[in-house]
Amino acid sequence: MNIGFVGLGIMGRPMASNLIEAGYVLRIYSRTAETCRGLAALGASLCDSPASVAAESDVFISMLPDTSDVESVLFGSKGAAKELLPGAVVIDMSTISPSATMGFAEKLSAGGIDMLDAPVSGGESGAKQRTLSIMVGGKREVFERCLPILRAMGKNIVHTGPNGAGQKTKLVNQVVGALNLLATVEGIRLARASGLDLPNTLNAVASGAASSWMWANLGPKMIAGDFAPGFSIKLQQKDLRLVQDSLQELGLAAPATSLIYQLFTRAVEMGLGEEGNQALYKLW
Amino acid sequence: MNIGFVGLGIMGRPMASNLIEAGYVLRIYSRTAETCRGLAALGASLCDSPASVAAESDVFISMLPDTSDVESVLFGSKGAAKELLPGAVVIDMSTISPSATMGFAEKLSAGGIDMLDAPVSGGESGAKQRTLSIMVGGKREVFERCLPILRAMGKNIVHTGPNGAGQKTKLVNQVVGALNLLATVEGIRLARASGLDLPNTLNAVASGAASSWMWANLGPKMIAGDFAPGFSIKLQQKDLRLVQDSLQELGLAAPATSLIYQLFTRAVEMGLGEEGNQALYKLW
């Protein structure tokens, strides 16, 4: 089976590499030839556009920063859609707008092409270790057909509903994660201002009703002043912007979610975009 | 060793019962005689005031709702302080003001009485199963002397610093827990409004970077419409009021913590005070 892969950033590169390791034949494209070199050495074929990737692919995977990037890779002048044959499957693993995703799926379906939205959670380390959580929207039958491919990249793989449901679930995940991160930031700020021993506090709070992945994993980094990105402020802010769009479409009030969007936007404003999301701690 | 125990509510009763089971001789007092009956049947001696409990106690434990309750039980006209002998220890396991706690400890120390502030986390089930987390402030030597008593009531027992440090750590715990709860509420509201399958969403989000005790334990209750209290809205609001006092004393900005205090206060206003803290979900 031939797989096309477009979007070879921090996440896309290790994911593509895991596919090659699992025995898939890969055709790839990137605007910066540089990023393709390692994968080419592993046997991936370099193409000069998304369309040329698509021309010989049974499955076309995209892993891109934002909605507009996916739109142009699929439907732009050198986009994949015009070259994919009926029966092909597009798997978009980017985190983008759920409503745009539903539109893309409908457009592709007119040409006999199926789509899965399959955004991931777990960051660079999850991509490298094949432990990504993958939330998948689309037809169950297509999901099951593509499961071996997804299993080459992740672990907790859940079919969450029809097209768009993967993205919707990812946005829920991002709301909860970002607010747990804010809980960690305000908790550690209070502990520090109260004069508490910080490692001791991390330990005392870690095992009860206040425990979270964010507290356990990013709390120690905040205390140590380690702001290297596992997941960046910039991308977290982008995800929360998608959430704001959804809240507006749904007419839903969510005061804490609105607050955290403001705070991440302020962090980007302050030039912290490339730092890890735990750099939210630097806001004050 | 004789132990006095005042404050036999939902938490205090199982804690006192665990002390009796561990072999301690207990003297107890409650304003409502009714609540003492079960413990008296187990062998506890009923007294008619905190002072009379204290008269023959080496260690005096209080487990009360708020700062003013602890103040009157210790220093009121029939309070414990006047009857405790030099060398006795007061262990206050209530969640109350850290700065008031420091004042109480100083006042007791003038009479040769040591104090530990030892608030707990884990709710009624933790109290029953002896799995409470206990955050302890006070002299390390006193902490170590009282450790066997604390071990009869809890599991993760951490000495967090001098008098007041137990309460300060507990407030950090309450900030983080309450905000993780709000994250769960807004996440589930978004999932429901998006038309997602809710048990599926709980499962997809539970294992990644957004995971938390609140999501795993109170998320399913919100979905099931189970608002029975493990920990009540009213007490959570009281704890967050103590946090607000500390933030003001420290001159510390904490926008999400302020928001969650407003929301819990609104929940009390709406008459939800006696329900479980997951009833925050009913606010909208």
Side-chain angles (χ1 to χ4, degrees):
Chain A
M1 181 184 287
N2 290 330
I3 297 183
F5 203 114
V6 172
L8 302 164
I10 290 180
M11 296 294 290
R13 269 200 307 273
M15 289 162 71
S17 159
N18 285 331
L19 286 169
I20 295 172
E21 202 174 306
Y24 292 103
V25 175
L26 234 65
R27 296 171 62 79
I28 60 176
Y29 164 75
S30 169
R31 275 169 299 186
T32 46
E34 183 68 23
T35 62
C36 297
R37 208 170 285 170
L39 292 166
L42 295 174
S45 308
L46 265 61
C47 302
D48 63 2
S49 72
S52 106
V53 168
E56 293 181 38
S57 295
D58 307 301
V59 169
F60 181 91
I61 298 177
S62 51
M63 184 61 185
L64 297 156
D66 214 335
T67 311
S68 58
D69 302 306
V70 175
E71 183 162 32
S72 86
V73 157
L74 291 180
F75 306 109
S77 60
K78 291 182 174 179
K82 59 184 64 160
E83 294 293 339
L84 288 167
L85 297 174
V89 179
V90 168
I91 308 180
D92 178 36
M93 306 189 75
S94 326
T95 296
I96 66 166
S97 158
S99 54
T101 293
M102 290 185 273
F104 297 164
E106 211 180 309
K107 233 166 136 178
L108 289 168
S109 132
I113 300 159
D114 276 306
M115 178 171 173
L116 297 176
D117 45 302
V120 306
S121 173
E124 188 184 4
S125 66
K128 284 183 173 163
Q129 293 157 33
R130 296 174 44 174
T131 57
L132 292 171
S133 291
I134 312 182
M135 295 152 252
V136 191
K139 288 182 206 151
R140 176 166 286 281
E141 169 270 306
V142 178
F143 167 74
E144 272 158 14
R145 192 145 41 92
C146 293
L147 207 45
I149 297 174
L150 298 173
R151 285 213 180 106
M153 295 179 283
K155 217 168 78 173
N156 185 35
I157 304 168
V158 184
H159 181 246
T160 63
N163 282 120
Q167 296 296 351
K168 288 172 181 173
T169 306
K170 176 68 189 286
L171 293 189
V172 170
N173 188 81
Q174 295 310 77
V175 162
V176 178
L179 287 175
N180 290 350
L181 174 62
L182 181 55
T184 299
V185 167
E186 294 204 3
I188 290 179
R189 271 172 51 76
L190 176 58
R192 190 184 290 259
S194 302
L196 289 171
D197 178 80
L198 297 182
N200 219 340
T201 306
L202 277 183
N203 176 31
V205 175
S207 63
S211 62
S212 70
W213 187 97
M214 288 292 174
W215 180 267
N217 289 275
L218 298 190
K221 290 192 179 186
M222 285 176 207
I223 288 179
D226 171 3
F227 298 108
F231 183 59
S232 73
I233 289 270
K234 195 178 66 181
L235 285 174
Q236 178 90 66
Q237 192 265 354
K238 182 266 298 183
D239 289 356
L240 291 169
R241 192 202 72 226
L242 295 171
V243 169
Q244 290 306 111
D245 290 344
S246 286
L247 289 172
Q248 283 174 22
E249 287 168 23
L250 296 164
L252 201 70
T257 304
S258 297
L259 173 61
I260 186 74
Y261 172 63
Q262 292 293 326
L263 296 176
F264 268 101
T265 303
R266 174 66 185 141
V268 171
E269 230 183 76
M270 284 169 71
L272 299 172
E274 303 299 332
E275 302 201 24
N277 54 352
Q278 71 272 24
L280 187 69
Y281 186 71
K282 289 187 179 179
L283 215 57
W284 291 275
Chain B
M1 182 184 286
N2 290 330
I3 297 182
F5 203 113
V6 172
L8 301 164
I10 290 180
M11 296 294 291
R13 269 200 306 273
M15 289 162 70
S17 159
N18 285 332
L19 286 170
I20 296 172
E21 203 174 305
Y24 292 103
V25 175
L26 234 65
R27 296 170 64 80
I28 60 175
Y29 164 75
S30 170
R31 274 168 301 187
T32 46
E34 182 68 23
T35 62
C36 298
R37 208 170 286 170
L39 291 166
L42 295 173
S45 310
L46 264 63
C47 302
D48 63 2
S49 71
S52 106
V53 168
E56 293 180 39
S57 295
D58 307 300
V59 169
F60 181 90
I61 299 177
S62 50
M63 184 61 185
L64 296 156
D66 213 335
T67 310
S68 59
D69 303 305
V70 175
E71 183 163 32
S72 87
V73 158
L74 291 180
F75 306 110
S77 60
K78 291 183 172 178
K82 59 184 65 161
E83 294 292 338
L84 288 168
L85 297 175
V89 179
V90 168
I91 308 180
D92 178 36
M93 306 189 74
S94 326
T95 297
I96 65 165
S97 157
S99 54
T101 293
M102 289 185 274
F104 297 164
E106 210 179 309
K107 233 166 136 177
L108 288 168
S109 131
I113 300 159
D114 277 305
M115 177 170 174
L116 297 176
D117 46 302
V120 307
S121 173
E124 188 183 4
S125 65
K128 284 182 172 162
Q129 294 157 33
R130 295 175 46 174
T131 56
L132 292 171
S133 291
I134 312 182
M135 296 152 252
V136 191
K139 289 182 205 149
R140 176 167 286 280
E141 169 270 306
V142 179
F143 167 74
E144 272 159 16
R145 191 144 44 89
C146 293
L147 206 45
I149 298 173
L150 298 173
R151 284 213 180 106
M153 295 179 282
K155 218 168 77 171
N156 184 35
I157 304 168
V158 184
H159 181 246
T160 63
N163 282 120
Q167 297 295 352
K168 289 173 182 174
T169 307
K170 176 69 189 287
L171 294 189
V172 171
N173 189 81
Q174 296 310 78
V175 162
V176 178
L179 287 174
N180 290 351
L181 174 62
L182 181 55
T184 300
V185 168
E186 294 204 1
I188 290 178
R189 272 172 50 76
L190 177 58
R192 190 183 290 260
S194 301
L196 289 171
D197 177 80
L198 297 182
N200 219 341
T201 305
L202 276 183
N203 176 31
V205 174
S207 64
S211 63
S212 70
W213 186 97
M214 289 290 173
W215 181 267
N217 289 274
L218 298 189
K221 290 192 178 186
M222 285 176 206
I223 288 178
D226 171 4
F227 298 109
F231 184 58
S232 73
I233 288 271
K234 194 178 66 181
L235 285 174
Q236 178 91 67
Q237 191 264 356
K238 182 265 298 183
D239 290 355
L240 291 169
R241 192 201 73 225
L242 295 172
V243 169
Q244 290 306 111
D245 290 343
S246 286
L247 289 172
Q248 283 174 22
E249 287 168 23
L250 296 165
L252 201 69
T257 305
S258 297
L259 173 62
I260 186 74
Y261 172 64
Q262 293 292 326
L263 296 176
F264 269 100
T265 302
R266 174 66 185 140
V268 171
E269 229 183 76
M270 284 168 71
L272 300 172
E274 303 299 332
E275 301 202 23
N277 54 351
Q278 71 274 24
L280 187 69
Y281 186 71
K282 290 187 179 179
L283 216 57
W284 292 274

